[in-house]
Amino acid sequence: MLIIPIKEGENIDRALKRFKRKFDKTGTKRALNSRKQFTKPSIENRTLIQKAQYIQRLRDQENI
């Protein structure tokens, strides 16, 4: 549970913005989205390999 202390005289919009930022940093939303649907381990491994290939391609282009 996230707790955002509100200082006296602080604007509610600013406190809400701090809450949203803290919520994004915890990764709660990403975890909820990943649990919505089951993905097979083979597909997860395939996506990891594809990401690694993409990053490697970018690094190779920088070194050229």
Side-chain angles (χ1 to χ4, degrees), residues 11-57:
N11 191 356
I12 190 71
D13 292 331
R14 178 164 273 201
L16 187 61
K17 191 173 188 177
R18 281 196 350 240
F19 171 76
K20 287 180 182 179
R21 192 178 315 126
K22 200 172 198 181
F23 184 76
D24 286 341
K25 283 185 180 180
T26 58
T28 309
K29 189 173 183 180
R30 271 183 262 127
L32 287 173
N33 285 338
S34 68
R35 284 191 226 143
K36 276 185 181 178
Q37 205 171 20
F38 178 75
T39 56
K40 292 170 44 176
S42 61
I43 294 175
E44 287 180 1
N45 291 337
R46 189 182 314 148
T47 56
L48 286 176
I49 291 170
Q50 287 174 343
K51 283 181 185 178
Q53 288 173 343
Y54 174 74
I55 291 172
Q56 189 63 42
R57 225 178 292 125

Side-chain angles (χ1 to χ4, degrees), residues 4-15:
I4 306 294
I6 299 175
K7 299 167 189 153
E8 194 169 327
E10 184 180 17
N11 191 356
I12 190 71
D13 292 331
R14 178 164 273 201

